[in-house]
Amino acid sequence: MSLIEQLKFDDNGLIPAITRDVDNGQVLMMAYMNAEAVEKTLKTGKVHYFSRSRRKLWMKGETSGHVQTVREIRFDCDEDCLLIDVEQQGAACHTGHRSCFYRCWQDDAAETVGGKAADPMQAYAREDILDAVYHVIQERRRNPSEKSYVASLFGKGLDKILGKIGEEATETAVAGKGGDKDQVVYETADLFFHTLVLLGYYDIPPERIYDELRRRFGMSGIEEKQSRTK
């Protein structure tokens, strides 16, 4: 019997996987795997996961270079959870921390334990700047500070975020009418940024937008509209 046949996946075809550092036993992260992710992990020796938000298979480190090399795979007594020991390159967490569990709850407040092992912007921005900015936005949302513009937007609520998008869309249109290319670039960047804040509000990663654009690619506008009415 293969490992995949041995495991009990949930109704969505997923199984939780806890990953830890083989050298010191530190828990690095928890994510989900489907059968294909388990198969790819066994075949390549590099840990693959299934992203529930992006709804796709991904290899840890494919963007950042922070790959996880498998040293041992265990499963629990109920056969519905994996424990994977790995050699971790760089940081396991997209925030740049060695472990995703870098916050400790003490005295009714969250305290950060340890510094960052990598600069997340350097790790992710090389491949996908929109995704990198999105992750920073989510970090500001989860750990707000008085100096954070993003935190202030989330604090003021959805209407404020939508208002900023409307404002930036108008300014982009005015820049387009003015014909100054540098101004068009500047205003479009503002529009993209505030749209990413909206995506963060709904926990929609940019990859979901990429997938929708891929679905539409090669269709005429008429065909695309018809595809949504079927």
Side-chain angles (χ1 to χ4, degrees):
M1 183 182 294
S2 69
L3 175 60
I4 292 176
E5 293 172 326
Q6 189 95 343
L7 298 176
K8 295 177 182 177
F9 296 89
D10 66 17
D11 293 341
N12 295 313
L14 302 176
I15 187 170
I18 300 167
T19 308
R20 66 181 182 180
D21 192 315
V22 68
D23 293 326
N24 57 26
Q26 180 187 28
V27 175
L28 299 173
M29 59 182 288
M30 194 288 287
Y32 288 86
M33 304 173 81
N34 61 4
E36 185 181 4
V38 174
E39 184 179 7
K40 286 276 191 181
T41 298
L42 293 172
K43 183 177 180 180
T44 65
K46 308 296 183 185
V47 184
H48 289 66
Y49 299 101
F50 182 84
S51 171
R52 294 175 298 167
S53 59
R54 293 183 292 171
R55 296 179 294 186
K56 64 180 293 186
L57 189 76
W58 62 287
M59 186 189 85
K60 178 62 182 176
E62 63 186 4
T63 299
S64 65
H66 299 163
V67 298
Q68 295 174 339
T69 303
V70 178
R71 287 295 169 257
E72 183 178 72
I73 299 178
R74 300 187 185 193
F75 54 94
D76 72 335
C77 56
D78 293 323
E79 302 170 341
D80 60 1
C81 184
L82 291 169
L83 177 63
I84 308 176
D85 285 344
V86 302
E87 287 184 11
Q88 174 69 56
Q89 298 293 319
C93 184
H94 73 271
T95 64
H97 290 88
R98 178 73 174 176
S99 167
C100 290
F101 299 92
Y102 61 87
R103 286 172 289 187
C104 179
W105 189 257
Q106 292 184 345
D107 300 323
D108 295 326
E111 180 180 337
T112 299
V113 180
K116 293 187 178 183
D119 182 345
M121 286 301 291
Q122 288 186 358
Y124 294 96
R126 292 192 304 268
E127 298 292 333
D128 188 341
I129 187 61
L130 292 182
D131 193 60
V133 172
Y134 174 82
H135 279 101
V136 172
I137 288 170
Q138 291 293 63
E139 177 68 12
R140 300 289 190 272
R141 177 189 180 189
R142 298 187 184 102
N143 301 287
S145 69
E146 294 181 0
K147 296 181 179 180
S148 171
Y149 172 68
V150 170
S152 72
L153 288 177
F154 283 116
K156 292 174 183 175
L158 179 60
D159 286 345
K160 179 63 174 179
I161 295 170
L162 296 177
K164 288 300 296 183
I165 291 175
E167 177 184 324
E168 298 301 341
T170 298
E171 291 180 2
T172 301
V174 171
K177 186 69 172 177
D180 185 328
K181 292 183 179 179
D182 288 340
Q183 195 65 20
V184 170
V185 169
Y186 181 85
E187 297 298 346
T188 301
D190 276 350
L191 179 58
F192 279 16
F193 174 82
H194 287 89
T195 302
L196 288 171
V197 174
L198 176 63
L199 293 181
Y201 182 89
Y202 286 109
D203 289 315
I204 301 172
E207 183 64 33
R208 293 283 300 277
I209 310 303
Y210 302 161
D211 284 344
E212 176 61 16
L213 291 173
R214 292 185 188 106
R215 184 188 70 82
R216 299 183 188 188
F217 191 76
M219 290 186 183
S220 71
I222 295 175
E223 290 174 333
E224 193 282 318
K225 289 182 180 179
Q226 290 176 341
S227 71
R228 285 186 285 171
T229 58
K230 293 180 180 179

